[in-house]
Amino acid sequence: ILTNTKIMKSYRIIDDFLKKNHFEKLSNLDLKHTNNDQLSIYKNKIDKTLNVNSDILNEELILDLHNSYYDIALNVLEELAPKKVELIDYSEFTIIETGKDYSFPIHRDIPTKLLSGVIYLLPENNFGTCLYGDGKGSNKKEIEWKQNRAFFFSRSEENSWHSYKGDSISNRLVLVYNLMTNDLKKACELENINYYKVKLREKLNPILYRYFKFIIK
């Protein structure tokens, strides 16, 4: 489903995205305990030459995920932002567990994320991803939670505001699947945004959010 909205120019929703064996493996990982008000992130990446770096997934599984879904993700990026395709350097398969009482603020992804994707894993019901018309939270729209639903978008400076949170009942487990570049400057040029402003913002935001719970928008 390719959808156009005033909130986000375009995005793609693909239900039943993962093969059954991949969905089951990713849903049954042996993860450390995540407190109700915390976020746990397990980063895993594979580059164009198939070099793998992983926090939790084994190399065989990452290669299998890459071989199974890269062409799908690439096709989505070609639909949404074809000029970004030439910048792809690596893919991320990040596992994120959100505590049931944790809320991540409204934000845009960094321009090095050429294609941003999330696949909902566990539990059966939770909050999905909320989209907004601006950084203040206007025109809220939810991409509803459904197990094994994938939601993809290619960020822009103006209309890719989003957030996510737990539902106060159960922790929220997802696979974040991103196509990435190492060239922040080129990514900014493609979007016609100020490289130095973005670089400073992305350097400060993790510090500001960690200690003061807000981000520069």
Side-chain angles (χ1 to χ4, degrees):
I1 302 170
L2 190 61
T3 307
N4 294 313
T5 72
K6 293 181 180 179
I7 300 172
M8 189 177 288
K9 183 178 179 181
S10 56
Y11 56 83
R12 182 90 178 270
I13 296 172
I14 306 174
D15 286 339
D16 302 316
F17 181 77
L18 296 171
K19 298 177 183 178
K20 183 178 180 181
N21 64 316
H22 292 151
F23 180 83
E24 291 178 350
K25 285 181 180 179
L26 295 172
S27 297
N28 290 283
L29 295 170
D30 185 17
L31 305 178
K32 67 180 182 180
H33 176 71
T34 299
N35 292 333
N36 295 341
D37 60 348
Q38 293 182 340
L39 190 73
S40 295
I41 300 175
Y42 305 88
K43 294 187 176 181
N44 313 279
K45 61 187 288 188
I46 181 170
D47 67 20
K48 291 189 292 187
T49 58
L50 303 185
N51 291 313
V52 171
N53 286 302
S54 176
D55 285 348
I56 192 170
L57 304 181
N58 63 55
E59 184 172 336
E60 181 181 0
L61 178 55
I62 294 174
L63 285 168
D64 195 13
L65 293 172
H66 176 75
N67 290 333
S68 297
Y69 307 112
Y70 178 77
D71 285 347
I72 299 173
L74 180 62
N75 287 338
V76 173
L77 183 58
E78 287 175 338
E79 289 182 42
L80 302 183
K83 292 182 179 180
K84 294 185 180 182
V85 169
E86 65 181 28
L87 295 183
I88 299 172
D89 289 312
Y90 64 97
S91 301
E92 288 183 335
F93 293 96
T94 301
I95 299 294
I96 298 182
E97 184 172 9
T98 304
K100 69 183 184 69
D101 298 320
Y102 183 93
S103 178
F104 199 89
I106 300 171
H107 66 287
R108 292 165 296 209
D109 286 346
I110 186 171
T112 50
K113 290 185 180 180
L114 306 174
L115 182 71
S116 300
V118 58
I119 298 94
Y120 303 144
L121 298 176
L122 292 175
E124 183 177 354
N125 298 295
N126 211 289
F127 285 137
T129 305
C130 290
L131 312 181
Y132 306 92
D134 53 40
K136 297 179 180 180
S138 67
N139 300 320
K140 180 178 177 181
K141 173 183 174 62
E142 182 184 359
I143 305 299
E144 294 182 354
W145 182 276
K146 180 181 179 182
Q147 284 183 288
N148 207 12
R149 168 172 285 171
F151 163 56
F152 289 102
F153 67 92
S154 182
R155 60 136 280 144
S156 73
E157 197 73 359
E158 295 80 20
N159 61 1
S160 56
W161 298 100
H162 62 287
S163 71
Y164 61 89
K165 64 180 181 178
D167 66 353
S168 301
I169 300 172
S170 303
N171 284 9
R172 176 185 188 274
L173 186 69
V174 303
L175 170 67
V176 172
Y177 180 21
N178 299 325
L179 300 184
M180 305 288 297
T181 183
N182 293 316
D183 195 339
L184 175 61
K185 189 172 185 179
K186 183 64 174 179
C188 289
E189 289 175 0
L190 281 177
E191 292 195 34
N192 195 29
I193 53 180
N194 188 292
Y195 163 72
Y196 298 101
K197 178 181 178 181
V198 171
K199 190 174 182 179
L200 178 62
R201 184 178 73 200
E202 299 306 325
K203 183 177 181 179
L204 292 176
N205 272 340
I207 300 170
L208 293 173
Y209 184 68
R210 180 180 299 173
Y211 294 106
F212 304 105
K213 298 302 178 184
F214 74 90
I215 60 175
I216 300 172
K217 298 174 179 180

